[in-house]
Amino acid sequence: MTQFLQALFNGVALASIYALIALGFVIIYKSTQVLNFAQPALLLLGAYWVVYFATVLEWSFWLALLAAALLAAATGVVVERVALRPMVGKPVFSVAIMTIGLNTVLTIVALDLMGVEIRPVGDPWGIQVVKVGSVVLAHRQIAAVVATIVVVAVLITFFKRSRMGLAMRATAFDQEVALTQGVSVSTVFALSWALGAALAMLGGVFIGSGIGLDRSASVMALKALPVVVVGGLDSIAGAIVGALVIGIAESLSGTYQPQYAEFLGRQFSQVVPYLVMFVVLLVRPYGLFGTKEVERV
């Protein structure tokens, strides 16, 4: 039972990171109908700024996090204005290819900045742990879960209570109708990319928390794609449920597969998110919470 509870908690902590990244996917998709394949690069670049401010300039972690969030948001806006805005009205396939190209360019920039070494993010949690019974809870895992809960609560309040949040929901529902109601769709697009990039940055910080950040972070960020496919590309609730499904499935397989199915290989848990995605696509192509009107890429 202890092994199961430990794997379950690890899965929830992993899911919280996936949820942060996936929420960025969903917010951008709902507002702009763009499937942003550049999200892993935005994660890597955003997390690097935390590394730079916290460990090179030796700012406090919280100040570094705030500065990196602003810089990541600005990067998202620049990407939208420079690369995506000229693609408005172009085929969905072309826009998706554009984001793949952006991912390549931004990843190269981020990796050049980071170098080949593992870089500490300067977080205050380190590798400290606390025990609840026989289950070990790492401080960084607890922080990731709490941060995700706070972010989700803030986003829900923003979308339900604020004028801009309501404008974003109206734009997600129908861009032409939103325009006739006086909504600045271009502002909504820019804000969506800013939020998506900032959420990716936060996810990157928790990927590197305690163990350091390296080039593999962008690979981990790609698992947010199965999350949004499982949950539904246009559903915030789906992103959270999808993250829990993928995170827990990956953690349980990483715990039990080496014991009961060793022949599958040592890193089988890394492909589990994609296997879950394939199964969900076969039985529910629009995801668990997605709408059938979603246009597929």
Side-chain angles (χ1 to χ4, degrees), residues 206-222:
F206 284 112
I207 289 175
S209 178
I211 58 176
L213 191 72
D214 64 8
R215 296 164 178 249
S216 64
S218 60
V219 177
M220 186 173 176
L222 284 175

Side-chain angles (χ1 to χ4, degrees), residues 38-55:
Q39 196 75 347
L42 292 173
L43 176 149
L44 208 56
L45 191 58
Y48 167 76
W49 292 123
V50 179
V51 171
Y52 179 75
F53 292 135
T55 63

Side-chain angles (χ1 to χ4, degrees), residues 260-271:
Y260 300 105
E262 188 178 3
F263 63 93
L264 292 174
R266 298 174 59 184
Q267 298 296 324
F268 180 76
S269 62
Q270 299 302 308
V271 302

